[in-house]
Amino acid sequence: MRRSYLAAVFCSVALTLIYLIGQFNARFILFFSNLIFPLISGCAVASSFFALRKYSKPVTRILYDELSFAWLCFFMGMFFWFLGELIWAIYVLVLAIEVPYPSMADVSYLVGYIPMFLALLLYLKTFRGAVTRKALASTGLTVLAVVLASSYLLLMPIFFSEGDSVTLALDVAYPVMDLALFALSFLGFLVFFEGKLGEAWLLISLGLILTAVADLLFSYTTLQGIYFEGHPSELPYLWGYLALLLGFHVHRREL
């Protein structure tokens, strides 16, 4: 297990250095960015698949149905996110055109949120006996703080920005869905952090939080007109995929 953590830390540091150095070569960082996203998200899909394969076999008669379906949803969510990354890369590297907004990549990203949300909901439902009022209250307060901060920094500028209704709806949909995933993953972490699954849930929660942060940064930099392929704000996406990859792997080993 220690080797897995070291590998994840090494990849995170290497990606950070490449992104920072790559800012001096626009052509290189554009190519690297569009190549690395499908690669790392694809590895996260593989990690979720191995977990699915394990939990498709009965752990106990009680847990089997809901737990196996939850992991099927995790796998499907990661697959659609990977598909979105692949479509984005095809636009840039194969078709050599600017990625439209909205695009088929956005469709895949948004579809992926649905099974991810169901996976978290089903998982918490399976262990609902461990969900306490204290955990619910802490999650509610944390989510409220995040809502207030994101509303001030992003949602209000989106509402006052110029654009058609479809673009506006997508700009709002991403942070809203991120917030829903964040709430459930944070609740899961509070429920499991003292138990055997605490380590895995910390990583899964971290991955989803980093994804939410990355979406906020992408929306903000796009609104400001400063985003470009290979922008350093993409790093939280990659760190998030690595955290999810490791979280699925650790969970498979722990239970």
Side-chain angles (χ1 to χ4, degrees), residues 47-58 71 75 252:
S47 183
S48 66
F49 173 76
F50 289 130
L52 168 63
R53 190 171 65 173
K54 175 179 179 178
Y55 298 119
S56 293
K57 302 173 184 178
W71 280 100
F75 169 71
R252 183 168 58 90

Side-chain angles (χ1 to χ4, degrees), residues 18 45 51 60 133 140 168 178 220 230 244 250-251:
I18 292 172
V45 173
T60 69
R133 291 183 179 179
L168 179 61
D178 284 326
Y220 179 78
L244 288 168
V250 171
H251 193 293

